[in-house]
Amino acid sequence: MKNTQQNKFPELLTIKDVSTLLKCHPTTLRIWDKNGTLKALRIGKRKTRRYRREDVEKFIQKYDLIEEQTQNNTLVEFAPVGIFETDAKGDCLFVNKRWCELAGLTPEQALGQGWVQALHPEDKERVFREWYEAAKARKEFVSEYRFRTPKGKVTWLQGSGIALKSKGKVTGHLGTITDISEQKQTREKMEYYSHLLESLSEAVFSTDTKLTILSWNKIAEKIFNVTEKEAMGKSLDTFVDVEFIDTTRDDAIKQLMTKRTWSGEVIFVVRKSGKRIPALSTGSVVQDANEKHIGFVTTVLDITDRKQVQEKLKESESRFRTLADSSPVLMWVNGLKGCEFVNKVYLEFLGVQPDNVTKFDWAQFIHPGDRQMYVDKYLQAFKKHKIFEAQFRFLRADKQYRWMKSVGLPRFGTNGEFLGYVGSTFDITDLKQAEQETQKAAAMIESSDDAIFSLDTKGIITSWNKGAEHLYGYSKNEVLGKTTALLMPPNKKDDFPMIMKQLKRGKTIDHYETQRMTKDGLILEVAITISPIKNEAGQIIGASKIARDITERKKLEQRKDDFIALASHELKTPVTSLKMFSQALEQRFKKIGDLQSAKYLTTMNKQLDKLTELVNGLLDLSRVQQGKLEYRKNKFSVDDLIHETLQNIQRITDSHKIISDGQTRQKIVADKDRVGQVLINLINNAIKYSPDAKEVIISSKKVDSQVIISVKDFGMGIPKSEQKKIFDRFFQVNNPNAKTYPGLGLGLYISREIVTRHGGKIWLESKLNKGTTFYFSLPIAQTEEIKRSKITSK
Amino acid sequence: MKNKKILVVDDDEAILEAFELTLTDADYIVETTAKNGTVVDNKIEKFHPDLIVLDLLLSGSDGRNITRRLKSDPKTKNIPIIMISAHPNAKKSALEAGAEDFLAKPFEMTVLMKKINYLLSGKRK
């Protein structure tokens, strides 16, 4: 065999030839000599390299010697597992190529105890100890450990070793190392996944392709209230809603088979309790090594809570929209990037219908003067996630700027993250105007020359303006909290209970002239008006008091009064003599039969009476205005007064017959002359305003505790619109189509004054072109009202 | 009431003249004076009036003082006095001073005559 081979050998051999000859790999050639020492090493990849025949022949001579060993070694060398051999102590004698790869060491480096450096630092001590202990004890060694190459590559290994024996004596050890990194990783992964599966909030179970349950995790047990044992072998359909089975299940399986995954919502059912579980479910295919589908893994995430939250969210969202749209205020929701929603009212207010509210420029509707302020305020609040508030003018659809107030509350997510604002904007134009009015009023009050202050229901001063400081000399701090009695001089102390009584009744005291005392003790003549202050519920919570210094006016009035008294006196003196002369002459003419002349003098006398009436009226007016009309009260018969008055007037009246109707049979306490004056006024008016009538009827009767006297005419009547004004000073019924009537328009004004001062009332009934009836009532006994009226009439 | 004597005291000459005319036509004997004080007293002493018409506010003197003096003098206290005034509200003070009656100026002659007749008729006590 040797010769045959030799003959065939060409002069030059290729690597392949050599490899074939040496039965080794063409790129790596290692040859050991008889002593097992490595002789030939790497040949290299260059296939074209040629060796001289005589060299190879020499080599083959040696080869003969080591042929057997080499063949063995070649196997060992190229085995897929790492192989090592040690002496009896355990020191390394040999490592194969795979071992060297895994260790990152050369065979030389591994010899002796050199191999130990291949161990991972964390495992080194343990494995070193275990190995030499096992070697010493001549026991089998099995362990898992890591190699780390000098370059840092880590490989998990399973190492094992057995003792080699010869003639019953341990001659050494032979061991293998196997790369188990992948298994290790897979095992770790498996552990990780199984932990993961158990720790998931999702139920996970596996089935075969026919949906028979093969595994069932703890969460599944919990959710379905079924143990793994109970679930195993059952069909998954047992746990799924019938409707899903009918409509979706087959499609889902089809998708799983083709695309290997499926996800969607499934309603699971717990048969035991009938409980339905909405769930987010995913399915994936399990394949065997040949990629054949052998089953499915299904996860089930119970979303009952999420569903409920979603439902609630949906509900609250729709509720918000409904509310927002039906709300009278402008509502808006802003996100981090701007507007997300505005309600219908908002759009209607601006009169716009943008396609996309998120991209719409809302700021363009803000008044240019307010825009920057608004934006600045918003950004400031936005930065700090604080409440946003601003007042600004907003352009309404009718092109009118309205004062608005915006309030935005920051929105936060469930984890506390800032989401933007939800806000409302409302029209405060009226409020703003009212505010301005209030400010104006407050300024007016403060700057008024009149003393204006307010009291609570106990008469304690609660506000005090500059005018009050000026008039009374007290500063605000000196009077606030004190009662208004502080201002009353000793002779007017009765004012306080009277004012409090009126205040509690909610009555206004109008222009009450009295005296007040300053801080310096000076007595002032003042006119006071007190009006109740009511709260929204209409309850009296205090009163406002306006006091005006009328000392000067009083003096002027006194002068005027004196003047009027003097003037009327001076006027009456010539009238008196005129009247006497005219009456005396009238008598003379009658005596001598010159009736014509007598008649002229009668007319003259009447004119003088009218003149007297006018003078008296002016005098009375001046006194009524000052509250100085004097009353002398006596007891008298009402019927007598009517009778006397009627006779006196009838004596000088030819045009009308004055008829008396009824009797009172009552005596009253009153000023007879003044009551007579009222009656004369009414009768004279009746005659004056019914020029075409023939009668005036005076009626009188007692009704309860009062007498009522009426004067009825059949004249032109008084239009409704003028009836209220008829008792006003200087008022006269005006009828453009009728003739005018002489007089100052003082009669009814003074009459009303007299009647009310007596505690009575005066009123009228009238029909146009039919006539008018004036009534007045007087109390028979002197009532409270008369007494009270004294306070204000003095 | 013929021959009854009436003294009229007023500071207005026209009024005195008018009284003279009116009362003379009514057959009274009339004496008038615009003077006050002692002049009035002298007139009364000489004229012995049955009734006096006296103005309330005489210039320089108050008619009420004259009334009080006359009413306090036994010789004159029985002479009825009617006080007259342009102040309609003077009635009270006139009566308080002691006058028998009061008449506001201007007045109706009939009313004046009624009052005079009444006071001179002796019907009053």
Side-chain angles (χ1 to χ4, degrees):
Chain A
M1 184 185 153
K2 228 187 267 179
N3 292 333
T4 319
Q5 277 179 342
Q6 274 176 349
N7 295 337
K8 278 182 187 170
F9 269 23
E11 228 16 62
L12 283 167
L13 301 173
T14 65
I15 294 170
K16 205 177 175 187
D17 296 332
V18 177
S19 297
T20 308
L21 279 170
L22 300 178
K23 296 180 186 170
C24 61
H25 196 275
T27 55
T28 54
L29 176 63
R30 296 175 193 199
I31 296 170
W32 285 262
D33 65 11
K34 294 169 201 169
N35 303 320
T37 309
L38 192 68
K39 289 292 178 195
L41 287 166
R42 187 182 179 86
I43 292 170
K45 285 180 183 173
R46 288 172 58 199
K47 292 180 182 175
T48 51
R49 184 168 174 179
R50 291 172 183 265
Y51 297 85
R52 283 189 308 148
R53 183 189 170 102
E54 52 182 273
D55 292 341
V56 174
E57 275 182 356
K58 278 183 198 165
F59 199 85
I60 287 171
Q61 280 175 352
K62 288 178 189 170
Y63 171 75
D64 281 339
L65 297 171
I66 59 164
E67 188 177 21
E68 196 184 359
Q69 195 182 346
T70 306
Q71 276 179 353
N72 284 340
N73 279 349
T74 306
L75 265 176
V76 168
E77 180 69 1
F78 296 103
V81 294
I83 297 170
F84 61 93
E85 199 183 337
T86 71
D87 60 16
K89 281 193 304 188
D91 287 341
C92 184
L93 295 174
F94 165 79
V95 288
N96 76 341
K97 186 179 166 245
R98 177 69 183 146
W99 191 97
C100 288
E101 275 174 14
L102 291 167
L105 299 175
T106 62
E108 288 79 11
Q109 286 171 320
L111 295 179
Q113 287 192 356
W115 68 274
V116 178
Q117 60 189 304
L119 289 169
H120 190 280
E122 283 176 22
D123 300 338
K124 196 180 273 177
E125 200 187 320
R126 171 178 64 91
V127 177
F128 181 83
R129 193 183 64 242
E130 281 175 2
W131 171 251
Y132 284 101
E133 274 173 11
K136 205 175 165 187
R138 293 163 195 171
K139 278 187 179 167
E140 195 180 339
F141 165 82
V142 181
S143 184
E144 281 182 10
Y145 50 88
R146 283 164 292 178
F147 267 5
R148 194 171 73 174
T149 67
K151 283 184 181 169
K153 192 192 170 201
V154 175
T155 315
W156 268 102
L157 304 163
Q158 189 181 48
S160 60
I162 49 162
L164 294 173
K165 290 173 184 174
S166 173
K167 297 170 188 170
K169 221 179 159 186
V170 172
T171 56
H173 299 275
L174 192 62
T176 58
I177 54 168
T178 318
D179 181 353
I180 57 164
S181 288
E182 240 171 77
Q183 283 143 281
K184 191 86 181 167
Q185 272 174 9
T186 312
R187 221 188 307 148
E188 272 176 4
K189 262 187 204 164
M190 269 179 68
E191 267 172 38
Y192 170 77
Y193 282 121
S194 80
H195 282 303
L196 190 73
L197 285 180
E198 292 304 333
S199 66
L200 278 177
S201 60
E202 292 178 40
V204 183
F205 45 80
S206 59
T207 62
D208 61 16
T209 49
K210 286 177 182 163
L211 301 181
T212 306
I213 294 165
L214 301 176
S215 75
W216 188 256
N217 79 342
K218 288 239 162 59
I219 299 294
E221 288 187 341
K222 203 168 140 195
I223 289 180
F224 294 96
N225 197 20
V226 172
T227 63
E228 187 174 21
K229 220 176 182 182
E230 290 171 321
M232 298 271 265
K234 285 200 174 128
S235 167
L236 184 57
D237 286 351
T238 324
F239 299 97
V240 179
D241 182 44
V242 182
E243 201 187 319
F244 180 80
I245 296 170
D246 290 348
T247 58
T248 320
R249 185 192 62 180
D250 292 346
D251 291 340
I253 292 172
K254 211 180 272 171
Q255 194 189 318
L256 268 171
M257 290 306 218
T258 53
K259 295 186 176 169
R260 302 181 55 188
T261 60
W262 177 87
S263 69
E265 284 188 17
V266 182
I267 307 272
F268 288 93
V269 178
V270 181
R271 298 285 173 216
K272 275 184 195 170
S273 61
K275 185 179 155 197
R276 294 164 67 81
I277 304 165
L280 208 58
S281 197
T282 60
S284 41
V285 170
V286 181
Q287 292 177 315
D288 66 7
N290 301 320
E291 297 194 351
K292 189 187 163 202
H293 296 351
I294 53 168
F296 309 114
V297 173
T298 308
T299 66
V300 176
L301 177 66
D302 183 351
I303 54 167
T304 311
D305 290 349
R306 199 193 296 177
K307 272 272 170 201
Q308 279 172 354
V309 171
Q310 259 175 9
E311 284 301 313
K312 272 184 191 160
L313 197 69
K314 233 190 228 172
E315 196 185 303
S316 81
E317 223 176 67
S318 90
R319 207 185 297 152
F320 173 74
R321 268 166 205 279
T322 315
L323 183 83
D325 280 341
S326 61
S327 159
V329 298
L330 282 55
M331 297 185 84
W332 46 271
V333 177
N334 278 7
L336 297 179
K337 287 181 181 166
C339 180
E340 285 179 356
F341 166 80
V342 292
N343 70 346
K344 231 194 257 171
V345 184
Y346 204 111
L347 298 174
E348 282 167 7
F349 180 89
L350 297 178
V352 293
Q353 270 308 336
D355 297 331
N356 188 346
V357 292
T358 57
K359 288 183 181 160
F360 196 70
D361 176 21
W362 303 102
Q364 64 174 303
F365 295 96
I366 300 176
H367 190 282
D370 301 336
R371 205 174 291 155
Q372 196 54 45
M373 173 277 299
Y374 189 92
V375 172
D376 287 349
K377 274 195 170 177
Y378 184 80
L379 290 178
Q380 234 171 20
F382 189 91
K383 232 188 226 171
K384 294 178 178 169
H385 304 172
K386 287 257 169 78
I387 290 178
F388 160 70
E389 232 181 274
Q391 291 189 10
F392 63 105
R393 283 158 291 177
F394 214 20
L395 189 61
R396 200 166 59 181
D398 60 3
K399 300 297 161 211
Q400 239 191 59
Y401 276 108
R402 302 288 293 175
W403 272 106
M404 309 293 280
K405 182 176 182 173
S406 261
V407 178
L409 296 177
R411 292 192 294 141
F412 296 101
T414 45
N415 298 322
E417 74 277 19
F418 178 63
L419 299 176
Y421 284 96
V422 55
S424 55
T425 300
F426 38 92
D427 196 325
I428 54 161
T429 310
D430 292 345
L431 201 74
K432 202 89 180 165
Q433 278 168 355
E435 206 176 273
Q436 282 166 356
E437 293 296 318
T438 309
Q439 277 170 359
K440 239 188 264 173
M444 270 163 65
I445 287 171
E446 198 44 46
S447 62
S448 170
D449 284 339
D450 290 334
I452 302 174
F453 53 101
S454 58
L455 311 173
D456 66 9
T457 49
K458 287 175 183 163
I460 289 169
I461 298 165
T462 51
S463 77
W464 187 255
N465 77 339
K466 286 233 167 65
E469 284 188 357
H470 187 71
L471 182 65
Y472 294 113
Y474 291 104
S475 74
K476 201 182 250 186
N477 290 337
E478 286 173 307
V479 292
L480 290 187
K482 294 191 177 141
T483 72
T484 181
L486 174 76
L487 309 170
M488 292 168 189
N491 63 326
K492 294 289 178 186
K493 288 292 178 202
D494 287 350
D495 276 7
F496 187 66
M498 182 277 292
I499 287 168
M500 292 312 296
K501 203 168 161 187
Q502 299 290 79
L503 195 155
K504 275 171 192 154
R505 285 185 188 174
K507 291 209 170 159
T508 297
I509 301 172
D510 199 12
H511 204 82
Y512 167 38
E513 290 185 5
T514 182
Q515 291 176 331
R516 289 291 178 261
M517 197 164 64
T518 69
K519 190 182 174 185
D520 300 333
L522 209 74
I523 303 294
L524 298 173
E525 295 288 341
V526 291
I528 288 174
T529 297
I530 303 171
S531 319
I533 302 171
K534 292 177 182 175
N535 65 9
E536 279 177 22
Q539 292 163 321
I540 296 152
I541 54 165
S544 69
K545 222 167 153 181
I546 302 173
R548 183 170 292 175
D549 184 358
I550 55 166
T551 312
E552 276 305 307
R553 205 196 77 197
K554 279 273 168 188
K555 280 183 197 161
L556 263 176
E557 263 173 15
Q558 189 58 49
R559 253 182 274 161
K560 185 189 83 182
D561 198 32
D562 292 346
F563 171 76
I564 288 174
L566 185 72
S568 70
H569 185 265
E570 293 306 309
L571 277 169
K572 279 178 186 173
T573 305
V575 170
T576 304
S577 50
L578 268 174
K579 204 168 154 66
M580 287 180 79
F581 280 124
S582 71
Q583 288 180 95
L585 283 176
E586 189 188 339
Q587 291 305 314
R588 281 196 175 187
F589 280 121
K590 276 183 184 165
K591 255 185 202 165
I592 60 167
D594 186 352
L595 296 181
Q596 188 63 36
S597 298
K599 204 186 156 203
Y600 292 142
L601 284 163
T602 306
T603 308
M604 184 173 150
N605 198 29
K606 279 183 191 168
Q607 292 306 309
L608 286 170
D609 283 347
K610 276 182 185 163
L611 189 59
T612 309
E613 208 180 292
L614 290 177
V615 172
N616 279 336
L618 280 174
L619 197 61
D620 282 350
L621 170 71
S622 144
R623 293 186 169 175
V624 165
Q625 278 180 297
Q626 293 174 50
K628 275 189 179 170
L629 204 58
E630 284 172 22
Y631 299 95
R632 281 176 293 107
K633 288 184 177 172
N634 285 308
K635 205 168 189 181
F636 64 88
S637 156
V638 175
D639 297 335
D640 286 355
L641 174 71
I642 293 171
H643 181 70
E644 285 164 24
T645 311
L646 195 144
Q647 275 204 325
N648 282 338
I649 297 176
Q650 188 67 81
R651 199 166 44 232
I652 52 168
T653 305
D654 306 325
S655 56
H656 293 71
K657 191 166 190 233
I658 304 163
I659 300 162
S660 171
D661 179 25
Q663 273 189 319
T664 63
R665 298 178 203 283
Q666 294 297 320
K667 285 188 173 178
I668 62 169
V669 177
D671 186 322
K672 190 179 175 185
D673 290 344
R674 291 290 178 198
V675 176
Q677 192 181 341
V678 174
L679 201 50
I680 291 166
N681 272 335
L682 295 181
I683 297 171
N684 281 343
N685 274 348
I687 293 167
K688 189 158 91 178
Y689 290 101
S690 64
D692 302 330
K694 296 271 178 274
E695 291 178 340
V696 170
I697 300 170
I698 319 296
S699 304
S700 61
K701 57 185 173 181
K702 173 184 176 270
V703 177
D704 299 329
S705 59
Q706 51 188 5
V707 291
I708 294 174
I709 302 164
S710 65
V711 178
K712 182 181 176 70
D713 72 51
F714 301 91
M716 58 176 79
I718 302 160
K720 258 237 150 72
S721 57
E722 305 205 327
Q723 289 183 10
K724 270 190 182 171
K725 294 183 274 183
I726 202 145
F727 294 105
D728 290 351
R729 192 161 31 130
F730 304 124
F731 182 84
Q732 277 193 312
V733 174
N734 255 333
N735 188 345
N737 301 323
K739 61 171 192 161
T740 53
Y741 295 88
L744 291 176
L746 290 173
L748 287 175
Y749 172 70
I750 292 166
S751 295
R752 184 182 62 174
E753 180 70 20
I754 293 167
V755 171
T756 50
R757 288 286 177 255
H758 279 85
K761 275 182 185 166
I762 186 163
W763 70 98
L764 67 105
E765 283 170 5
S766 185
K767 268 187 181 169
L768 274 182
N769 302 319
K770 291 268 162 109
T772 303
T773 308
F774 276 93
Y775 300 86
F776 68 97
S777 67
L778 293 169
I780 292 163
Q782 192 173 22
T783 62
E784 272 295 305
E785 287 207 30
I786 298 173
K787 285 179 193 160
R788 212 182 312 125
S789 75
K790 280 181 184 171
I791 296 170
T792 45
S793 66
K794 261 179 200 165
Chain B
M1 296 293 155
K2 285 177 184 160
N3 306 318
K4 290 279 180 185
K5 292 188 273 185
I6 298 175
L7 174 67
V8 182
V9 186
D10 197 302
D11 53 4
D12 189 274
E13 291 291 347
I15 285 180
L16 290 179
E17 220 176 306
F19 265 105
E20 204 167 352
L21 170 66
T22 306
L23 295 176
T24 309
D25 278 2
D27 294 332
Y28 291 106
I29 300 162
V30 184
E31 192 72 32
T32 64
T33 178
K35 304 278 172 8
N36 52 44
T38 49
V39 179
V40 176
D41 293 342
N42 289 340
K43 282 269 179 188
I44 292 168
E45 211 166 302
K46 282 184 189 164
F47 183 57
H48 295 292
D50 296 302
L51 186 143
I52 303 170
V53 175
L54 183 59
D55 188 31
L56 193 100
L57 286 171
L58 295 163
S59 51
S61 172
D62 193 325
R64 284 169 293 192
N65 290 339
I66 298 173
T67 304
R68 279 185 208 107
R69 203 175 61 238
L70 293 176
K71 288 300 171 185
S72 61
D73 186 341
K75 280 190 255 173
T76 53
K77 72 173 183 186
N78 289 325
I79 306 169
I81 300 173
I82 297 174
M83 294 200 83
I84 54 172
S85 173
H87 294 281
N89 297 327
K91 185 175 181 179
K92 198 179 172 190
S93 63
L95 299 182
E96 273 168 6
E100 269 70 18
D101 213 336
F102 173 84
L103 205 52
K105 290 179 188 173
F107 43 79
E108 288 297 319
M109 205 175 75
T110 47
V111 179
L112 173 72
M113 289 307 173
K114 252 191 198 170
K115 289 188 187 289
I116 291 173
N117 285 338
Y118 176 72
L119 288 173
L120 293 178
S121 68
K123 276 179 193 169
R124 69 186 190 96
K125 58 168 186 173

